[in-house]
Amino acid sequence: MSERVALVTGSTQGIGEAIARRLAKDGYRVALHGRRPAAEAAVLLEALPGASYHAADLEQVESAGALIRDVLARHGRLDVLVNNAGAVARFAHTDLRAATAAVWRRMMDVNLIAPWMLVAEAEEALRASAQAGRPGCIVNIGSHAGARPKGSSIPYAVSKAALHHATRLLALTLGPDIRVNCVAPGLVDTAMSAGWEAAYELWNTRAPMRRPAKPQDVADLVAALCANDYVTGEIVIADGGLNLT
Ligand SMILES: NC(=O)c1ccc[n+]([C@@H]2O[C@H](COP(=O)([O-])OP(=O)(O)OC[C@H]3O[C@@H](n4cnc5c(N)ncnc54)[C@H](OP(=O)(O)O)[C@@H]3O)[C@@H](O)[C@H]2O)c1
């Protein structure tokens, strides 16, 4: 029971899966999470020693409490929370009517309120982690769209901008027991970005790194923030330098 434990939300595929694999390699016991039934996460679960899987639909934001309780019941501690699960809506910024109240609510529920609820539910366990010797650690997965006026839609970008600001406010509030940082990726090659040809064209031609990120690129950055015991309140943009153009 002495190994550090990390909950990575939305870790059944894409960026979250890469983060889970990387943290497991770094010696964490990983609590995997997604909406799909456990049987569909079995291959990943078996690949990560000591890992567990917890299903919860975070669009139902009240499920955050049960998710944290489940993880604590299984592992007895929680040292790292990676708020990676996210929802996207993709439509032109000029199409104001496409941004219905339902779309706004889904973006805010999944991308801002659920991470907030998870932090609130995990606070006590993350503070206990500090008593055991190292500060607890929260890493939120934001987006370059939350840092610049860009992105797949205005509601998505606004929800991520709010998550970035919550990151800074929480870092102020929860230190020194708990550090809170955010990684804000640009385009990452996952199912979420599949078929978004214009974005791929942009990254392949304009970004200094001339490619979108691989999930592993984001996972390496998250792992570095978890390994550090001092940095807090940072929004680290990982967009291959596109924001410079
Ligand atoms: N891909 C990009 O270009 C990009 C760029 C910037 C930021 N991001 C952010 O990075 C994060 C991960 O994105 P990704 O590209 O890896 O996405 P992805 O491949 O679509 O994977 C999303 C993950 O989140 C889970 N998930 C989605 N909605 C959920 C919900 N309502 N409740 C619980 N789990 C849910 C999914 O689980 P199930 O499949 O089991 O439901 C899956 O594990 C998101 O926050 C996204 O906004 C992505």
Side-chain angles (χ1 to χ4, degrees), residues 10 12-13 15 35-36 56-58 84 142 156 160 186 188 190:
T12 52
Q13 63 177 38
I15 296 169
R35 282 170 302 191
R36 67 192 67 180
D57 182 354
L58 291 175
N84 166 78
Y156 175 77
K160 292 295 192 178
V188 188
T190 69

Side-chain angles (χ1 to χ4, degrees), residues 160-208:
K160 292 295 192 178
L163 182 65
H164 294 186
H165 203 52
T167 299
R168 296 190 192 93
L169 290 163
L170 284 168
L172 260 179
T173 303
L174 297 176
D177 283 353
I178 305 171
R179 297 182 304 109
V180 191
N181 290 291
C182 178
V183 172
L187 185 69
V188 188
D189 196 9
T190 69
M192 184 179 276
S193 54
W196 197 7
E197 301 303 336
Y200 277 85
E201 172 70 11
L202 188 61
W203 258 270
N204 287 332
T205 58
R206 293 271 303 278

Side-chain angles (χ1 to χ4, degrees), residues 125-236:
L126 292 169
R127 284 195 193 278
S129 170
Q131 300 310 311
R134 291 186 59 192
C137 173
I138 296 167
V139 182
N140 295 321
I141 304 301
S143 170
H144 77 115
R148 306 260 296 169
K150 293 180 181 302
S152 47
S153 67
I154 289 179
Y156 175 77
V158 169
S159 70
K160 292 295 192 178
L163 182 65
H164 294 186
H165 203 52
T167 299
R168 296 190 192 93
L169 290 163
L170 284 168
L172 260 179
T173 303
L174 297 176
D177 283 353
I178 305 171
R179 297 182 304 109
V180 191
N181 290 291
C182 178
V183 172
L187 185 69
V188 188
D189 196 9
T190 69
M192 184 179 276
S193 54
W196 197 7
E197 301 303 336
Y200 277 85
E201 172 70 11
L202 188 61
W203 258 270
N204 287 332
T205 58
R206 293 271 303 278
M209 295 314 294
R210 298 285 192 275
R211 65 171 177 87
K214 298 185 287 265
Q216 187 64 52
D217 296 316
V218 180
D220 290 344
L221 206 45
V222 171
L225 287 168
C226 292
N228 186 285
D229 274 350
Y230 189 64
V231 172
T232 194
E234 293 298 328
I235 315 297
V236 184

Side-chain angles (χ1 to χ4, degrees), residues 22-48:
R22 174 58 203 264
L23 292 183
K25 210 166 131 194
D26 288 354
Y28 285 90
R29 273 188 298 146
V30 177
L32 300 162
H33 158 265
R35 282 170 302 191
R36 67 192 67 180
E40 290 178 33
V43 173
L44 178 59
L45 188 57
E46 277 165 28
L48 307 183

Side-chain angles (χ1 to χ4, degrees), residues 68-88:
I68 298 296
R69 283 194 294 280
D70 237 35
V71 171
L72 290 173
R74 170 64 193 263
H75 296 283
R77 63 186 286 173
L78 182 62
D79 305 277
V80 170
L81 167 63
V82 182
N83 277 313
N84 166 78
V88 72

